[in-house]
Amino acid sequence: MSENLNVLTSTQAIIHEALNKLGYDEAMYELLKEPLRMLQVRIPVRMDDGSTKVYTGFRAQHNDAVGPTKGGVRFHPGVYEDEVKALSMWMTLKCGIVDLPYGGGKGGVICDPREMSMGELERLSRGYVRAVSQIVGPTKDIPAPDVMTNAQIMAWMMDEYSLMDEFNSPNFITGKPLVLGGSQGRDRATAQGVTIVIEEAAKKRGINIRGARVVIQGFGNAGSFLAKFMHDLGAKVIGISDAYGALHDPNGLDIDYLLDRRDSFGTVTTLFENTISNKELLELDCDILVPAAIENQITADNAHEIKANIVVEAANGPTTAEATKILTERGILLVPDVLASAGGVTVSYFEWVQNNQGYYWTKEEVEERLIKKMVDAFDNVYTTATTRNIDMRLAAYMVGVRRTAEASRFRGWV
Ligand code: GLU
């Protein structure tokens, strides 16, 4: 039987198990197995050549019992409805794990920004906001960057919402440029969060980061900042990749050079001839492996070939349920996405708080608060996993879903 690669059904299965372990009944699972709201929109965009193209977009709101929903918007040709639903559920879990007063939301548009001009991207971004405007807002659902969206796109979206709202509304969206009410440290927050959990995981495994061999799949926002942080901590980044291939040097890659040459989508391997495949990259002999790209990269097919001691998921959903089992059985410490990549939404929350107050924090204040959130979250999940003798993913789901379940109960929804 081939493995289930549908991210929605596999997420539902773990949420079910987590709720069972927490003592909740089927009614709670019925509430939480799907988003409360899922809006599909069609967005007409005038292209540079005068033609009109109609794009399909989504916004999912998993559960708002705790507070407004929160989560990014991705622009990617492979976006599909079930994926957006699962991504919104993962946001609920992330917010629960780092204890933010939000539920999970997520959006996506089926498009390829690498093939669009700046003008076309701006019109699509503004069109998306107009299309979902009825269900989003600073106290309802707060978007942010995700795969192939960035601070410029957040700026256009914020401007469009402000025009409709007839009020400057920086708290509508996070991940904005600093001059428009962005937060210090938001651009690097996901990678910083990953770095913090890598340090915690390495302590548990007695690995010294200085000299540790690190492999990172993906050179986008998370992957590229992470390569830099690992390099600066004295680790040897021996492999990186983008959507087109991977680079490997057992003596450590020249990260500063690669960062300098990458384009805005994180593409860099096309400049080199002696590349290896993404599959080969994942199977490299290393201490720490960080999938920081897309879903379903470590599956039942290659989980036995992974040689890392620690796998830290900076991407959303890179390891399947079957692969999680295999890695755990093989004694590999797997730090799951909903914990490892929660640094981004954590600093997004800080950004929203600063926007609401109109008072801005220093880089040091942001960093100090992020470290505390991530270290506490890691401890909480690690302790749950070891005391209950379960894998880190199930432990993270238990920690993450509990608050939304409790809030739903208090509200009398279940
Ligand atoms: N898109 C990021 C994530 O998957 C960040 C979401 C946010 O900042 O709201 O966690």
Side-chain angles (χ1 to χ4, degrees), residues 70-72 91 94 106 142 144-146 174 186 316 341 344-345 348:
K70 178 95 192 78
M91 288 310 302
K94 285 188 206 189
K106 197 76 170 206
I142 304 129
D146 197 73
T174 59
R186 175 60 186 90
N316 288 309
S341 74
V345 70
S348 272

Side-chain angles (χ1 to χ4, degrees), residues 355-382:
N355 294 150
N356 287 336
Q357 297 189 333
Y359 178 77
Y360 289 84
W361 308 353
T362 62
K363 187 166 160 264
E364 290 71 28
E365 284 171 303
V366 169
E367 225 170 82
E368 193 187 311
R369 289 173 160 118
L370 173 63
I371 293 171
K372 172 140 181 45
K373 282 275 187 207
M374 294 304 299
V375 170
D376 287 353
F378 181 90
D379 279 351
N380 200 355
V381 172
Y382 189 83

